[in-house]
């Protein structure tokens, strides 16, 4: 049974997360602040950590950095009300594997948890024959490698690794191109167009999965009807 450490100073949030996770087979342990979390990580083995940001003593960014420095093999999903791009990038730069903003949809959270667990196990992510093989950093369709430009490859890999997550254009730009790039963030749109055109040519139902959420950004949907 996979074991998850839930770190949040609000007891109601800890209980809510446990209610989502335990019925589907995860064992949950609790910590109500960063100090307790760091002590638990020293003494116990965890497969995943769900980590709040705004906590007393140490904030989540500090805790994330300390854990990834000492236990880089343990994935961390940050769960916080801080939803600005700067905070999200700060969390990822601290070593977080993913970043979920409050309030969150329970189904989306579980999809993120499952996605991180698959990646930890190095299992290929597969959607209707489209596969991301993390071990070899390959994107394949029906077993055949697809050649994308490096940036298009990075974008599609990001979507496949984070199903259900809504990315705005600035987040995608910062994740793939980084702050140091001189390109325009609108280049994200042209690369997504390139991904769609390439996969349509290969008769892949890309429009069922890669969704444009008008005025908000882009999302990869596991359920083609959403």
């Amino acid at each position: 049974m996979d074991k998850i450490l839930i770190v949040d100073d609000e007891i109601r949030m800890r209980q809510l997360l446990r209610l989502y996770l335990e019925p589907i087979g995860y064992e949950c342990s609790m910590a109500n602040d960063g100090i307790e979390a760091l002590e638990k990580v020293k003494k116990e083995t965890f497969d995943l950590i769900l980590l709040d940001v705004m906590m007393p003593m140490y904030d989540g960014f500090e805790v994330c950095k300390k854990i990834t420095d000492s236990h880089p093999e343990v994935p961390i999903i940050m769960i916080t009300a801080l939803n600005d791009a700067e905070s999200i990038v700060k969390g990822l730069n601290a070593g977080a594997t993913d970043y979920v903003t409050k309030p969150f949809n329970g189904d989306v959270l579980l999809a993120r948890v499952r996605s991180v667990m698959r990646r930890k196990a190095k299992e290929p992510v597969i959607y209707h024959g489209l596969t991301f093989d993390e071990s070899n950093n390959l994107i394949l369709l029906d077993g055949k490698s697809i050649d994308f430009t490096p940036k298009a490859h990075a974008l599609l890999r990001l979507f496949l690794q984070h199903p259900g997550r809504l990315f705005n254009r600035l987040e995608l730009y910062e994740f793939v191109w980084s702050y140091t790039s001189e390109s325009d963030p609108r280049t994200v749109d042209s690369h997504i167009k390139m991904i769609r055109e390439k996969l349509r040519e290969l008769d892949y139902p890309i429009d069922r999965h890669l969704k444009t959420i008008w005025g908000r950004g882009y999302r990869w949907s596991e359920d083609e009807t959403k």
Side-chain angles (χ1 to χ4, degrees), residues 92-145:
L92 295 172
N93 286 340
T97 308
D98 202 351
Y99 194 105
V100 175
T101 56
K102 301 175 184 176
F104 54 81
N105 176 280
D107 290 336
V108 171
L109 174 68
L110 293 179
R112 302 277 189 86
V113 169
R114 291 186 181 106
S115 175
V116 169
M117 291 298 195
R118 282 198 302 262
R119 291 161 60 188
K120 185 174 184 289
K122 297 292 185 180
E123 295 178 6
V125 180
I126 304 173
Y127 299 100
H128 285 91
L130 185 67
T131 303
F132 173 55
D133 178 355
E134 184 175 1
S135 297
N136 298 299
N137 194 28
L138 293 175
I139 295 174
L140 309 101
L141 182 59
D142 296 329
K144 297 180 180 179
S145 179

Side-chain angles (χ1 to χ4, degrees), residues 31-203:
N32 62 19
D33 59 43
I35 292 176
E36 185 178 359
L38 293 172
E39 286 300 315
K40 282 182 174 288
V41 169
K42 286 180 183 178
K43 298 174 182 178
E44 302 176 48
T45 299
F46 295 100
D47 298 287
L48 174 65
I49 297 172
L50 303 182
L51 177 63
D52 185 28
V53 171
M54 299 174 68
M55 297 185 296
M57 309 289 203
Y58 295 129
D59 66 28
F61 299 125
E62 295 175 279
V63 176
C64 183
K65 182 67 167 57
K66 289 177 182 294
I67 292 175
T68 52
D69 283 347
S70 61
H71 296 79
E73 75 285 357
V74 181
I76 297 173
I77 298 178
M78 305 195 87
I79 302 179
T80 174
L82 298 176
N83 60 5
D84 58 286
E86 182 178 353
S87 295
I88 293 171
V89 171
K90 184 176 180 180
L92 295 172
N93 286 340
T97 308
D98 202 351
Y99 194 105
V100 175
T101 56
K102 301 175 184 176
F104 54 81
N105 176 280
D107 290 336
V108 171
L109 174 68
L110 293 179
R112 302 277 189 86
V113 169
R114 291 186 181 106
S115 175
V116 169
M117 291 298 195
R118 282 198 302 262
R119 291 161 60 188
K120 185 174 184 289
K122 297 292 185 180
E123 295 178 6
V125 180
I126 304 173
Y127 299 100
H128 285 91
L130 185 67
T131 303
F132 173 55
D133 178 355
E134 184 175 1
S135 297
N136 298 299
N137 194 28
L138 293 175
I139 295 174
L140 309 101
L141 182 59
D142 296 329
K144 297 180 180 179
S145 179
I146 308 174
D147 291 325
F148 289 103
T149 66
K151 299 301 185 187
H153 179 97
L155 274 174
L156 184 54
R157 180 185 67 200
L158 189 65
F159 284 122
L160 294 174
Q161 289 179 317
H162 299 279
R165 176 170 179 173
L166 177 64
F167 292 94
N168 64 44
R169 182 192 290 148
L170 183 58
E171 288 171 338
L172 293 170
Y173 175 69
E174 289 171 346
F175 293 166
V176 175
W177 280 264
S178 82
Y179 280 116
T180 60
S181 175
E182 296 179 358
S183 300
D184 190 316
R186 286 173 293 184
T187 193
V188 169
D189 300 333
S190 63
H191 280 75
I192 287 179
K193 180 180 178 181
M194 183 190 311
I195 291 169
R196 284 174 167 152
E197 289 177 348
K198 178 79 170 181
L199 289 172
R200 284 175 189 143
E201 289 174 2
L202 297 172
D203 294 324

Side-chain angles (χ1 to χ4, degrees), residues 212-223:
T212 299
I213 311 301
W214 295 109
R216 299 179 63 194
Y218 299 96
R219 180 179 66 214
W220 184 272
S221 176
E222 289 186 287
D223 183 347

